[in-house]
Amino acid sequence: RKMATLSVCQPQLGGFSFENCKRNAVLEAEVTKLGCNVPSARKTGTTICGVVFKDGIVLGADTRATEGMIVADKNCSKIHYISPNIYCCGAGTAADTEMTTQIISSNLELHSLSTSRLPRVATANRMLKQMLFRYQGHIGAALVLGGVDCNGPHLYSIYPHGSTDKLPYVTMGSGSLAAMAVFEDRYKQDMEEEDAKRLVRDAIAAGIFNDLGSGSNIDLCVITKGRVDYLRPHDMANKKGVRTGNYKYKQGTTGVLTKSVIKLDLEVVEETVQTMDTS
Amino acid sequence: MLTGLLYCSVPVTGMGQQVGAYGVQDTLRSGFSSVKNELLPSHALELSEKNFQLNQDKMNFSNLRNIQGLHAPLKLQMEYRAARQIQRLPFLQSSHLALDTLKGNDESISFEDILNDPSQSEMVGEPHVMMEYKLGLM
């Protein structure tokens, strides 16, 4: 068995490879000269938000993923699992948020196995910001990180270049201004769970109805000490209409003029039995 | 949004090709050189990623030296040097288990482990060339 060999002196390393960047730049220049467009990454032009209430955190997100001007996914899940007590909403490039949250979730799991303690939200925040800063914003992931640990409920917002804010209520994404308007009007300290859920639902709904990049349903995630409620979907703000008319024809609408039946003569040539291992 | 920034136009040093004997470009092994290839990085992150591990180590060792004294980085670097020698021939896959454990890489996952895993690569290094390079016979 032969493998192709490379005339290199040193072994290859893993991680990002920038070999094709120059070629891609040349290709892009050629394509734009012809007047076509390079395919764009799928973004999650989004409304995500989070709020701290009396016993914990409520995270909310819409469910639309866009690819330029087209809706790529009508019901995508933007609230990602990080650890049993920490969840993270992601806005920006869909692949980046997905991979980033999965990598940090794995690292946190290894860390918590090594320390044999429940992970803290500040740890996840520090890991995320160090990774995003390392890649200088080229990883387009804007995140809302929330969870409850031994020190109480914490909520962070993390920007693609690596800056973070620790606040009682945060919004991110293209619909963040609409959602923030709702928060600024009605946020109160130490709310009850039902009030907090209603506030987050209204904030996401404001983003859905006033921003083109957000739409479809509202997902909520309520995190309290020892309990996580992942409500997907919590509210279907945009239901697709049901067709009122039936455009199928009844059997017998078309009159039958003649009917002829031709029998196909098949003869059995070979019969084999293959036993399956169903144990 | 970001595609315009990917092609970097600021010339940097450190992108140069491998130099062969007598400090001249090794045309036989690394092909013809072009000034554009050597001066301009193909991506804004290329240089920073190439030296990331080295810079992290430098920073950590200097912190350690300031906090605990010269002996701390000295001992650690001695251990790293010893662990780095535990490997197979260069064209074969070595696990670097001791080195990873010392550096703490056994308890973390990053893009180096997921993307372009060298054990899954379709191309294999030429055994004779790599051995000669390792032994300094090139």
Side-chain angles (χ1 to χ4, degrees):
Chain A
R1 199 176 123 240
K2 284 197 173 176
M3 278 183 88
T5 52
L6 265 182
S7 227
V8 288
C9 299
Q10 280 160 328
Q12 306 277 47
L13 295 166
F16 289 111
S17 150
F18 300 104
E19 288 169 350
N20 290 332
C21 284
K22 287 207 167 95
R23 175 205 75 168
N24 291 348
V26 169
L27 278 177
E28 202 182 323
E30 293 287 312
V31 163
T32 37
K33 232 191 289 179
L34 291 171
C36 307
N37 281 334
V38 200
S40 65
R42 182 190 292 198
K43 306 192 68 125
T44 59
T46 301
T47 312
I48 49 176
C49 66
V51 87
V52 178
F53 71 99
K54 194 167 74 173
D55 307 315
I57 305 271
V58 179
L59 295 172
D62 71 305
T63 58
R64 177 182 287 182
T66 52
E67 214 161 4
M69 284 285 115
I70 302 176
V71 174
D73 192 345
K74 289 191 276 275
N75 197 0
C76 74
S77 153
K78 297 185 191 179
I79 305 186
H80 309 283
Y81 165 88
I82 301 265
S83 81
N85 58 327
I86 304 175
Y87 277 74
C88 182
C89 309
T93 312
D96 289 346
T97 57
E98 190 70 42
M99 285 266 90
T100 308
T101 46
Q102 282 177 352
I103 286 183
I104 296 305
S105 165
S106 307
N107 278 329
L108 257 194
E109 176 71 20
L110 288 169
H111 189 260
S112 99
L113 283 170
S114 159
T115 57
S116 49
R117 290 189 174 111
L118 203 58
R120 300 193 191 187
V121 191
T123 318
N125 177 50
R126 187 60 59 142
M127 285 180 173
L128 279 165
K129 86 194 299 187
Q130 282 178 348
M131 188 180 94
L132 289 174
F133 182 73
R134 171 178 172 179
Y135 294 107
Q136 293 290 296
H138 286 278
I139 293 191
L143 308 164
V144 166
L145 177 76
V148 178
D149 58 25
C150 55
N151 289 340
H154 302 276
L155 186 65
Y156 293 89
S157 70
I158 305 165
Y159 291 83
H161 283 265
S163 60
T164 62
D165 291 311
K166 184 175 193 311
L167 293 165
Y169 55 93
V170 290
T171 64
M172 294 284 247
S174 53
S176 62
L177 291 173
M180 187 52 91
V182 174
F183 274 164
E184 288 287 359
D185 188 30
R186 284 161 46 186
Y187 171 79
K188 276 184 277 296
Q189 258 197 337
D190 293 328
M191 282 182 290
E192 293 298 330
E193 179 172 332
E194 285 308 312
D195 291 334
K197 279 163 72 171
R198 209 172 312 130
L199 180 62
V200 171
R201 185 243 159 245
D202 289 342
I204 300 288
I208 287 177
F209 289 120
N210 295 297
D211 174 47
L212 285 179
S214 321
S216 304
N217 315 326
I218 299 171
D219 290 348
L220 281 194
C221 185
V222 184
I223 311 175
T224 49
K225 199 172 182 66
R227 182 177 65 96
V228 171
D229 282 331
Y230 194 95
L231 305 160
R232 178 175 154 80
H234 171 67
D235 193 357
M236 309 192 100
N238 303 92
K239 268 209 201 61
K240 212 172 160 187
V242 180
R243 282 213 187 97
T244 49
N246 187 5
Y247 297 96
K248 283 197 163 38
Y249 292 104
K250 277 201 302 279
Q251 273 229 344
T253 312
T254 318
V256 178
L257 293 178
T258 49
K259 188 162 127 175
S260 66
V261 176
I262 303 167
K263 201 162 173 210
L264 282 171
D265 276 326
L266 298 164
E267 47 179 83
V268 178
V269 175
E270 196 195 330
E271 194 174 308
T272 53
V273 174
Q274 212 171 28
T275 48
M276 277 203 314
D277 187 8
T278 50
S279 52
Chain B
M1 169 181 81
L2 292 167
T3 43
L5 301 170
L6 284 177
Y7 190 75
C8 213
S9 51
V10 178
V12 291
T13 53
M15 303 290 312
Q17 287 288 12
Q18 304 166 329
V19 283
Y22 313 114
V24 183
Q25 165 69 12
D26 201 352
T27 318
L28 179 67
R29 284 185 193 90
S30 26
F32 293 108
S33 65
S34 98
V35 174
K36 197 157 76 150
N37 277 343
E38 278 186 44
L39 278 185
L40 294 179
S42 45
H43 194 277
L45 287 178
E46 189 172 354
L47 205 58
S48 128
E49 280 298 297
K50 202 157 77 146
N51 298 328
F52 184 75
Q53 207 44 54
L54 290 165
N55 289 337
Q56 281 289 96
D57 287 343
K58 232 187 272 181
M59 191 175 73
N60 288 338
F61 282 139
S62 86
N63 272 340
L64 210 50
R65 178 184 179 159
N66 291 334
I67 298 173
Q68 294 186 10
L70 185 58
H71 74 100
L74 227 48
K75 273 198 196 147
L76 278 179
Q77 279 180 317
M78 188 184 74
E79 288 176 10
Y80 283 10
R81 194 167 288 204
R84 210 174 306 149
Q85 291 176 345
I86 310 171
Q87 56 171 301
R88 301 174 134 178
L89 297 175
F91 51 89
L92 293 171
Q93 275 308 308
S94 343
S95 70
H96 297 290
L97 190 59
L99 192 59
D100 278 349
T101 313
L102 273 179
K103 288 191 167 167
N105 289 342
D106 62 335
E107 287 186 342
S108 76
I109 296 180
S110 73
F111 288 116
E112 277 78 36
D113 305 305
I114 301 173
L115 301 174
N116 281 333
D117 192 7
S119 59
Q120 310 272 2
S121 94
E122 306 130 358
M123 309 284 263
V124 150
E126 233 282 294
H128 300 290
V129 172
M130 294 180 93
M131 266 319 284
E132 285 177 9
Y133 184 77
K134 179 170 175 219
L135 295 174
L137 299 171
M138 293 259 279

